[in-house]
Amino acid sequence: MARGTGESSGVTRKILLTVATGGLTFLITNALDQPQATSITLSVLIGGIALLTRFLADFEKRLAALEKIEGDSIAEMRHLIDDTFPQISRATELYRMIDTSALGATLVTELVDNSARISPDSPQIVQHFVRAKIQETSGLLKQISEGGTITYYGEDREWLLGLTRNATTGIDAISMAAVDHSLWQSEIGQRYLDAQRRAAASGRRVRRIFVLDTAAGADDPDLLRVCAEQARMGIRARLLARPEVPPHQRVQVRDLIVFDDTLAYETTPTLTADPQLAQISETRLVLTTDRVKQCVQLFSDLWEVAFDPKAVT
């Protein structure tokens, strides 16, 4: 309504200006004793020119305003495109990566979908816990994809059980007395052993070398019972005294597990005067190709010099 009123007032002003200009022209020409026809013609002509000039001036202003609006719209559109296209491109790239992921699009999509279900109304502790777990998983996936080494400070159980359950070809373990002295009686040790039993039952290779501090340790009744129990589960176990380790490999002997000859699981014990009191200070997943090959070769060499345990009578 206000715009229509303004336009109407503008037209009225133009008409009044035209009439005034024409009237003034008529008075001037009439005062100069010009013929009436000439006065009228000049009045109409000059009034028309004034009206046309005013219309042209207004048209120029409107054209300039339209050009400014168009320029602002183009700039805004470019800004929108600059902001939106990278997001679209990134979203497209993420979709392509998810679609071609070895994990499968369904699993990755399910993770995103379930993560999005954590609402802002959830308790703060839930939000913080979920965020921390996602960050932890994201970091783990990053390290795995880059083929590096991942360190967990302390004794891990999820990696150990998960890798054992998902091994496809074989599990080769070197068990050190300083690390495994009480493993088989613990809850995690029982679960680990059961996962190995299932792996052996499904046809996967499961081997273990017990590294002893002295050759006399090979007669330890508890150790022999452990070996016999694992043998019944389909786990091949051998014994190796430290003095029998080839000199050039003694410094390399450590507690480790090689899964499918492609990934190594290593643990480092705490330093104590009594090995029976040692705990695991850190756990590492090693995916570096050269390091894993060294672990595979180490196990193979030690397996050749290790010997079968005595039969329990």
Side-chain angles (χ1 to χ4, degrees):
M1 180 66 74
R3 182 178 177 183
T5 302
E7 291 179 352
S8 178
S9 299
V11 172
T12 302
R13 284 196 298 271
K14 290 182 180 65
I15 294 174
L16 292 175
L17 178 63
T18 301
V19 171
T21 303
L24 180 62
T25 302
F26 180 80
L27 291 176
I28 293 173
T29 54
N30 193 42
L32 295 175
D33 295 328
Q34 296 294 325
Q36 190 173 16
T38 301
S39 298
I40 293 173
T41 302
L42 287 174
S43 299
V44 172
L45 178 61
I46 294 175
I49 292 173
L51 179 62
L52 180 61
T53 301
R54 187 58 182 263
F55 270 115
L56 288 175
D58 288 347
F59 177 76
E60 184 178 5
K61 290 180 181 179
R62 295 197 175 200
L63 182 61
L66 182 62
E67 289 177 346
K68 183 177 183 304
I69 293 174
E70 183 181 8
D72 292 343
S73 298
I74 292 175
E76 185 178 355
M77 182 62 71
R78 286 177 177 173
H79 182 70
L80 181 63
I81 291 173
D82 290 341
D83 288 347
T84 305
F85 267 30
Q87 298 177 16
I88 295 175
S89 177
R90 178 57 177 163
T92 303
E93 177 66 14
L94 285 174
Y95 180 80
R96 185 192 66 79
M97 293 173 64
I98 290 174
D99 194 47
T100 58
S101 171
L103 301 178
T106 302
L107 182 60
V108 179
T109 303
E110 183 179 347
L111 173 63
V112 175
D113 182 59
N114 290 334
S115 300
R117 292 177 184 271
I118 304 299
S119 70
D121 297 330
S122 300
Q124 287 292 317
I125 187 172
V126 172
Q127 296 183 38
H128 293 165
F129 176 72
V130 171
R131 186 180 296 112
K133 293 302 292 183
I134 292 177
Q135 289 176 341
E136 178 184 335
T137 302
S138 176
L140 175 64
L141 294 176
K142 181 177 183 295
Q143 292 293 333
I144 290 177
S145 65
E146 294 175 352
T149 299
I150 310 159
T151 302
Y152 177 86
Y153 296 100
E155 183 176 7
D156 159 79
R157 60 180 292 144
E158 299 301 330
W159 293 352
L160 178 63
L161 296 179
L163 290 169
T164 303
R165 291 165 180 161
N166 290 283
T168 58
T169 57
I171 304 168
D172 294 326
I174 298 176
S175 295
M176 308 293 294
V179 177
D180 295 343
H181 57 82
S182 60
L183 175 64
W184 312 113
Q185 289 75 39
S186 67
E187 180 266 343
I188 178 61
Q190 292 295 315
R191 292 184 183 276
Y192 173 43
L193 200 58
D194 183 63
Q196 288 187 314
R197 178 187 63 79
R198 294 175 184 273
S202 65
R204 286 168 281 178
R205 181 189 73 246
V206 183
R207 299 183 295 180
R208 173 169 290 105
I209 300 174
F210 287 99
V211 179
L212 312 173
D213 293 330
T214 63
D219 297 323
D220 182 4
D222 292 336
L223 175 61
L224 293 177
R225 278 193 294 271
V226 168
C227 292
E229 179 184 3
Q230 296 189 14
R232 288 191 293 270
M233 295 180 181
I235 302 171
R236 295 185 61 193
R238 287 186 178 181
L239 309 179
L240 178 63
R242 276 185 176 274
E244 302 301 323
V245 176
H248 67 282
Q249 291 180 322
R250 288 175 185 171
V251 71
Q252 302 179 43
V253 176
R254 58 195 181 278
D255 196 89
L256 68 85
I257 309 168
V258 180
F259 295 93
D260 294 348
D261 293 339
T262 57
L263 184 150
Y265 176 99
E266 301 180 356
T267 56
T268 301
T270 55
L271 298 177
T272 60
D274 185 355
Q276 297 297 318
L277 300 178
Q279 302 292 325
I280 295 177
S281 63
E282 66 178 30
T283 306
R284 293 181 302 277
L285 284 186
V286 181
L287 295 101
T288 308
T289 303
D290 291 342
R291 180 67 178 272
V292 173
K293 286 182 178 179
Q294 292 175 4
C295 294
V296 171
Q297 188 62 51
L298 174 65
F299 182 88
S300 178
D301 293 344
L302 296 184
W303 184 259
E304 291 301 320
V305 297
F307 55 91
D308 293 328
K310 297 178 182 179
V312 178
T313 57

